[in-house]
Amino acid sequence: MPRVFKFGDQINTDDILPGKYAPFMVGEDRFHLYAFAHLRPGFAEEVRPGDILVFGRNTGLGSSREYAPEALKKLGIRVVIAKSYARIFFRNLVNLGIVPFESEEVVDALEDGDLVELDLERGVLQRGGERFQLRPPPPFLLEALKEGSLLEYYKKHGRFPGE
Amino acid sequence: MGQTLAEKILSQKAGRRVEAGELVVVEVDQVMVVDSIAGSFIRRLEYLEASPRYPERVSIVIDHVAPAANLEVAKAQKEIREWAGRHGVRVFDVGRGVCHQVLMEEGLAQPGWIVVGSDSHSTTYGAVAAFGTGMGATDVALAAASGRTWLRVPETVKVVFRGRLPKGVTAKDAALEMVRLLGADGATYMAVEIHLLEGAEGLTLGERMTLANLTVEAGAKAGLVVPSGEVLARYEVPPWLFPDPEARYAKTLEIDLSALTPRVSVPFYVDNVHEVTAVKGKRVDQVFIGTCTNGRIEDLRAAAEVLRGRKVAPGVRLLVIPASSQVLEEAARDGTLLTLLEAGATIGTPGCGPCMGRHMGVLAPGEVCVSTSNRNFRGRMGAPDAEIYLASPRVAAASAVAGYLTTPEELEEAHA
């Protein structure tokens, strides 16, 4: 069952992947192993595919480096929930096919280490008997998600979703 | 209903009248890719089996780790040169300078253009009323492959600067004050539209770049300075490229430049802005003058003015990295460089340098750096507990001399 990893407010791209561990610094097959290296050492070994990351306000502020969310994707993260997002990070998540849910209430309710289940398309999250409703992803994102990522969508259709 | 500057530009590009909230797909005038993203960019184009649709609209700048710091970087930069050669894409190689400075110098950002860059500080192009915005590798790859990008037409925050800066107060102080007032997410998903009035229109192109550069630290998608003064004199500004008087804004902020004092952004958030006096006396190990925010010739001159006839304090490293080769040449010609060297500065290759902790000036645990850059996040320049204080070149130079955070004016008093 997916586990929750909970982080605080204003988690920036340097927290998610410190700049010195960029793919072109350490190699494209290794950079994801340094996710949260300063903030939560050991994260890359601990996290399992399908786990869910939960954040507070203004998540992903800072750099445009897509390899920050890409590191999370390489570690098997498909869903994040935050109170709010910085713009470039939100866009990068969408482009990579990681679903960025937004909910103050759900973030406040979830605790680090919680075991949860998520119906992604309907936005229904369950913890034991408790049920939380998240706003389902927008059509633009759902359309891209069907192919996996925006890149895969563009390759298949030769256009942007909704165009 | 009137339109904001962002709505004007995106309407022009979309070929129809658009308003905040709409999703548009628009042609892109310039795609800027930096060395640290180029590998991902190339890999994505290879996956698409695509070449740049308009190679002349793509620029790759080798600036984030230049010259190469290790073997991985050297291999990545070799790949850039080879790939660009095959596809007819221009490369600004090691030593040419920081991407935003270089594109501005080369005329690759023009009023009314859309410039997408793989660096968050691509808002800098807003200095000439170009819609400059930072994006990730997928977006810049798709923009290169298709010549287009998707954008949500942003709402706009209007920021009005009035009056003239007092002596010793700089555009960096004004920019930090703007970020403080907006907050780190005060302009998220929005454009910041900067109006310079009642003397503020005298701000130079470089000063406008500093203002536009910092708007992303309030979360902005673009930071557009309404054309006036030097920009009108130096650029061709289309007559439609002004906001309508009755345009609709999400909020409006007013900043009186004449009432400002030197500012410093305190770790670990850019919007944690105080008067320098609030942290005066903080011990300093390293001072870094450079970056896309404050590495221009006027910044180096401002630092030299403070450093002339003085020496950097024992135990303090002063790194100066000109923002471009043009800046370095000019500093060499007019004697600025000699003044900096005589004071004890170390000069680095034009580029981003230590701004993001990859080489040249990485901070050890517990060290304190005063930097003219734009980000003071935890661990950004090295050790997670190293502290970065953001300030103007004048304050940075004075702090290098004193060995603690201070202003040039305080320095005068201390030695009087």
Side-chain angles (χ1 to χ4, degrees), chain B residues 159-170:
Chain B
V159 178
V160 181
F161 289 96
R162 290 185 194 280
R164 291 175 199 275
L165 287 165
K167 190 172 179 308
V169 185
T170 70

Side-chain angles (χ1 to χ4, degrees), chain B residues 11 31 45 47 57 81 181 198 202 270 386:
Chain B
S11 292
V31 181
L45 284 169
Y47 172 80
R57 295 186 198 169
R81 295 180 190 105
L181 290 168
E198 294 167 23
V270 183

Side-chain angles (χ1 to χ4, degrees), chain B residues 273-396:
Chain B
V273 175
H274 301 271
E275 294 197 42
V276 176
T277 47
V279 286
K280 202 191 107 188
K282 176 83 189 175
R283 174 188 55 86
V284 169
D285 301 292
Q286 176 170 299
V287 171
F288 171 37
I289 297 173
T291 79
C292 55
T293 312
N294 282 121
R296 282 174 276 283
I297 186 66
E298 58 265 39
D299 299 315
L300 269 48
R301 284 180 188 144
E305 193 182 309
V306 175
L307 292 165
R308 188 166 293 119
R310 292 182 163 133
K311 292 279 183 202
V312 171
V316 176
R317 293 99 64 189
L318 170 61
L319 307 182
V320 178
I321 302 190
S324 75
S325 55
Q326 285 187 12
V327 172
L328 177 56
E329 282 169 27
E330 204 157 347
R333 262 197 300 272
D334 73 2
T336 299
L337 204 50
L338 186 61
T339 304
L340 297 172
L341 288 168
E342 283 173 343
T346 299
I347 310 296
T349 309
C352 302
C355 180
M356 75 307 285
R358 286 172 181 151
H359 71 154
M360 299 202 293
V362 172
L363 299 177
E367 287 195 323
V368 176
C369 180
V370 177
S371 172
T372 65
S373 67
N374 43 39
R375 233 164 239 163
N376 58 357
F377 296 164
R378 187 184 293 278
R380 180 167 173 90
M381 290 181 70
D385 67 343
E387 296 181 5
I388 308 162
Y389 291 77
L390 308 177
S392 72
R394 297 183 84 255
V395 169

Side-chain angles (χ1 to χ4, degrees), chain A residues 9-10 12 14 19-20 22 24-28 38 57-58 61-67 70 85-88 90-92 95-96 102 140 150-152 154-155 160 163, chain B residues 23 25 36-37 43-44 47-49 65 70 72-73 118-120 133-139 142 146 148-150 184-185 188-189 221 269 357-358 375 377 380 382 384:
Chain A
D9 287 336
Q10 307 253 43
N12 61 57
D14 282 285
K20 63 187 164 193
F24 90 132
M25 294 291 288
V26 298
E28 295 199 25
H38 292 158
R57 201 167 50 80
N58 202 18
L61 72 155
S63 168
S64 62
R65 56 182 75 143
E66 189 169 316
Y67 45 77
E70 203 174 357
Y85 296 91
R87 183 192 73 84
I88 302 173
F90 181 86
R91 192 171 169 125
N92 284 340
N95 287 348
L96 288 168
E102 203 169 76
F140 179 91
L150 185 63
L151 206 64
E152 285 158 346
Y154 190 89
K155 181 165 183 170
F160 295 95
E163 197 183 358
Chain B
L23 212 63
V25 176
S36 58
I37 302 295
R43 221 71 64 233
R44 280 159 173 73
Y47 172 80
L48 293 170
E49 296 168 44
V65 184
N70 64 30
E72 285 297 330
V73 174
S118 74
D119 182 279
S120 57
T133 194
M135 293 182 168
T138 296
D139 278 319
L142 284 169
S146 69
R148 294 171 299 150
T149 194
W150 64 272
D185 58 358
T188 300
Y189 304 125
K221 182 174 201 161
Y269 297 100
R358 286 172 181 151
R375 233 164 239 163
F377 296 164
R380 180 167 173 90

Side-chain angles (χ1 to χ4, degrees), chain B residues 75-141:
Chain B
K75 288 192 289 189
Q77 295 183 350
K78 183 178 183 213
E79 184 190 20
I80 291 171
R81 295 180 190 105
E82 290 174 352
W83 180 89
R86 281 200 303 280
H87 293 276
V89 166
R90 76 173 74 76
V91 173
F92 297 105
D93 216 316
V94 172
R96 180 63 186 88
V98 187
C99 53
H100 309 306
Q101 180 70 19
V102 171
L103 258 71
M104 292 288 288
E105 288 174 359
E106 298 280 342
L108 294 169
Q110 293 288 330
W113 281 21
I114 294 181
V115 182
V116 302
S118 74
D119 182 279
S120 57
H121 294 99
S122 299
T123 53
T124 308
Y125 309 120
V128 293
F131 191 97
T133 194
M135 293 182 168
T138 296
D139 278 319
V140 288

Side-chain angles (χ1 to χ4, degrees), chain B residues 166-228:
Chain B
K167 190 172 179 308
V169 185
T170 70
K172 176 61 163 289
D173 303 305
L176 289 176
E177 178 67 4
M178 170 180 68
V179 173
R180 180 184 78 83
L181 290 168
L182 285 169
D185 58 358
T188 300
Y189 304 125
M190 297 186 206
V192 169
E193 188 179 283
I194 295 174
H195 294 242
L196 304 174
L197 305 175
E198 294 167 23
E201 67 275 4
L203 289 183
T204 64
L205 179 59
E207 290 173 318
R208 290 163 195 248
M209 286 169 73
T210 301
L211 292 177
N213 180 276
L214 265 293
T215 58
V216 75
E217 302 308 328
K221 182 174 201 161
L224 296 154
V225 184
V226 178
S228 62

Side-chain angles (χ1 to χ4, degrees), chain A residues 4-161:
Chain A
V4 166
F5 287 79
K6 190 167 179 180
F7 299 87
D9 287 336
Q10 307 253 43
I11 301 301
N12 61 57
T13 46
D14 282 285
D15 294 324
I16 297 167
L17 193 76
K20 63 187 164 193
Y21 302 125
F24 90 132
M25 294 291 288
V26 298
E28 295 199 25
D29 52 343
R30 290 188 53 77
F31 70 95
H32 58 287
L33 303 176
Y34 300 98
F36 300 109
H38 292 158
L39 197 66
R40 190 163 176 161
F43 171 83
E45 291 78 49
E46 204 186 333
V47 72
R48 289 191 299 256
D51 284 346
I52 291 173
L53 306 189
V54 173
F55 298 96
R57 201 167 50 80
N58 202 18
T59 304
L61 72 155
S63 168
S64 62
R65 56 182 75 143
E66 189 169 316
Y67 45 77
E70 203 174 357
L72 305 181
K73 187 172 179 177
K74 283 181 84 147
L75 292 167
I77 301 301
R78 293 291 175 271
V79 170
V80 298
I81 307 171
K83 289 187 179 177
S84 66
Y85 296 91
R87 183 192 73 84
I88 302 173
F89 186 72
F90 181 86
R91 192 171 169 125
N92 284 340
L93 288 172
V94 168
N95 287 348
L96 288 168
I98 299 174
V99 183
F101 286 107
E102 203 169 76
S103 170
E104 290 251 354
E105 182 202 352
V106 173
V107 169
D108 281 337
L110 291 176
E111 302 282 351
D112 196 74
D114 280 351
L115 298 176
V116 294
E117 280 181 284
L118 176 69
D119 179 332
L120 199 148
E121 284 208 11
R122 288 190 300 151
V124 175
L125 182 87
Q126 294 201 62
R127 175 179 61 184
E130 277 178 291
R131 194 169 178 281
F132 302 95
Q133 182 65 52
L134 293 157
R135 204 176 324 118
F140 179 91
L141 174 55
L142 274 181
E143 214 184 317
L145 275 179
K146 276 185 203 138
E147 311 296 347
S149 71
L150 185 63
L151 206 64
E152 285 158 346
Y153 183 95
Y154 190 89
K155 181 165 183 170
K156 184 163 176 187
H157 301 280
R159 60 174 175 83
F160 295 95

